[in-house]
Amino acid sequence: MKDLSVSRWEDFQEIGWHWMQDLVHVPFSVYGDVGQGQGGVDLIATNIRSGIVGQSKCWTTKSLTMDEIDKELAKTNDYPGPITDYYILTNAKKHTTVQDRLASGPLIYERKQGRFRVHIRYWSDLKNLDFVPEEVLLRIFPSLASHSTVLAAQQHNLTEFNESLFHTRRCMPLLISKAHLEWLESWDFRRGFVPQDVFDPIHLLSIDMDRVLTVQEHSAWPHWLVEGPRADLFKCLPAAKPLFQAVIAFQRGVVSEASTYDLEGKTVLAHGHDDPSAHERITSGWRQLAQGLLQQYRHLVEGASQG
């Protein structure tokens, strides 16, 4: 929070009200006003008998020394309610006198009504202001308006991703069967060919995926979504994009190197090379592309780790 500066004590007190509620998880309210004999207390729990109180100290230049804290604690002798825990919320800089005192143990103050523990919370230690309502933040820090727009867009993107991931996990098992996954995992690509009846469904699916990516990335030709499963595939984006790309890469890797042959009464796609080095290059590439497809499917659809 170092980049956000609070210049008005009223603003810091309002933030302190929300800050206290976040710290102790009970409703709080402002106690009195300047010049009303607050007894070093300006934030109290709604249930005053709880004994949890706070003091917001808005300082923009000075450090919070132990002497300053002692002065605030002395004022509590005039506070009529019970005190069990006293929180000082400050935007002041840290000071060695306070750090040295806290290093020796909890800070305890004893007033005429009894003892209580003192807690010091620094503005500079806050990681975020999530506990403050957005409308309050934007009123006190108008510069956050642009950041708010960015955060809203990020939240929208996250929601969109989660919804598309959910749809991916419902849709993909209907389009890529368990039999095809088993084939991709077990097929010996060193044979130099793939059966066309097994490959054709992947080939057709890759065309659908390619069309859907084109529509999604360029907002072009929306009528392409009418055909086959493309409307459902579109709902899988953006989460399923890596899987789409893996299916398309496998299909193109096979088609770019293979021709149609008849082998033992079956139609296959084979590379047809006699050269051992070409055979190794092509079949190794097919195997790697198949493994990439499997990895993306298991990660996105089954939730498996990629590690």
Side-chain angles (χ1 to χ4, degrees), residues 66 98-108 117-120:
M66 199 62 226
V98 179
Q99 293 172 313
D100 292 343
R101 175 62 184 81
L102 292 176
S104 63
L107 179 55
I108 305 296
R117 183 167 178 173
V118 181
H119 310 267
I120 304 171

Side-chain angles (χ1 to χ4, degrees), residues 25-305:
H25 307 294
V26 297
F28 261 75
S29 60
V30 174
Y31 177 63
D33 203 349
V34 177
Q36 293 183 355
Q38 297 166 280
V41 174
D42 58 17
L43 299 166
I44 59 172
T46 301
N47 178 9
I48 194 170
R49 290 191 297 275
S50 71
I52 304 174
V53 300
Q55 172 67 271
S56 57
K57 301 302 295 183
C58 180
W59 285 324
T60 56
T61 56
K62 52 194 296 192
S63 299
L64 179 64
T65 66
M66 199 62 226
D67 285 343
E68 293 288 346
I69 292 176
D70 286 336
K71 291 177 183 177
E72 293 300 319
L73 295 176
K75 295 177 184 178
T76 63
N77 290 313
D78 298 324
Y79 177 69
I83 301 179
T84 58
D85 291 88
Y86 183 90
Y87 284 80
I88 297 176
L89 313 177
T90 183
N91 61 345
K93 298 177 183 179
K94 295 181 181 180
H95 198 274
T96 55
T97 56
V98 179
Q99 293 172 313
D100 292 343
R101 175 62 184 81
L102 292 176
S104 63
L107 179 55
I108 305 296
Y109 181 77
E110 185 160 359
R111 62 177 187 151
K112 56 187 178 184
Q113 298 94 331
R115 306 174 70 197
F116 59 80
R117 183 167 178 173
V118 181
H119 310 267
I120 304 171
R121 297 292 183 266
Y122 293 95
W123 177 259
S124 59
D125 286 338
L126 285 173
K127 303 301 181 184
N128 59 67
L129 292 174
D130 291 348
F131 54 85
V132 183
E134 184 176 8
E135 64 273 14
V136 175
L137 284 178
L138 293 178
R139 173 164 43 81
I140 296 175
F141 306 110
S143 62
L144 287 179
S146 59
H147 297 284
S148 178
T149 302
V150 172
L151 291 174
Q154 291 174 341
Q155 182 63 41
H156 172 76
N157 291 340
L158 180 60
T159 300
E160 182 184 26
F161 182 89
N162 286 341
E163 290 176 352
S164 66
L165 180 60
F166 177 75
H167 195 78
T168 296
R169 292 178 173 177
R170 293 181 58 186
C171 177
M172 282 304 155
L174 302 177
L175 299 174
I176 301 178
S177 69
K178 184 178 180 181
H180 275 96
L181 295 172
E182 291 173 349
W183 178 79
L184 287 165
E185 186 170 33
S186 62
W187 181 253
D188 185 0
F189 288 97
R190 290 174 298 180
R191 299 171 72 175
F193 67 88
V194 296
Q196 187 168 11
D197 62 336
V198 177
F199 181 75
D200 273 354
I202 298 176
H203 175 78
L204 295 173
L205 180 60
S206 74
I207 295 174
D208 287 330
M209 289 177 166
D210 183 63
R211 296 293 188 270
V212 168
L213 285 178
T214 300
V215 175
Q216 190 253 359
E217 292 173 3
H218 304 290
S219 299
W221 304 295
H223 60 276
W224 276 2
L225 298 180
V226 174
E227 299 179 27
R230 296 177 189 177
D232 277 331
L233 287 170
F234 190 82
K235 294 178 183 178
C236 296
L237 296 174
K241 184 175 180 178
L243 177 58
F244 285 20
Q245 293 171 328
V247 172
I248 294 168
F250 174 68
Q251 179 267 341
R252 289 177 178 174
V254 173
V255 170
S256 65
E257 298 284 2
S259 300
T260 303
Y261 293 87
D262 286 328
L263 181 65
E264 299 176 357
K266 291 186 176 181
T267 303
V268 301
L269 293 169
H271 64 71
H273 289 282
D274 294 327
D275 178 33
S277 62
H279 173 84
E280 174 61 26
R281 174 183 61 81
I282 294 170
T283 58
S284 176
W286 289 353
R287 182 173 64 253
Q288 291 175 12
L289 291 170
Q291 290 302 310
L293 194 166
L294 277 170
Q295 184 181 34
Q296 289 297 338
Y297 184 94
R298 287 170 176 158
H299 177 58
L300 290 167
V301 180
E302 300 175 356
S305 171

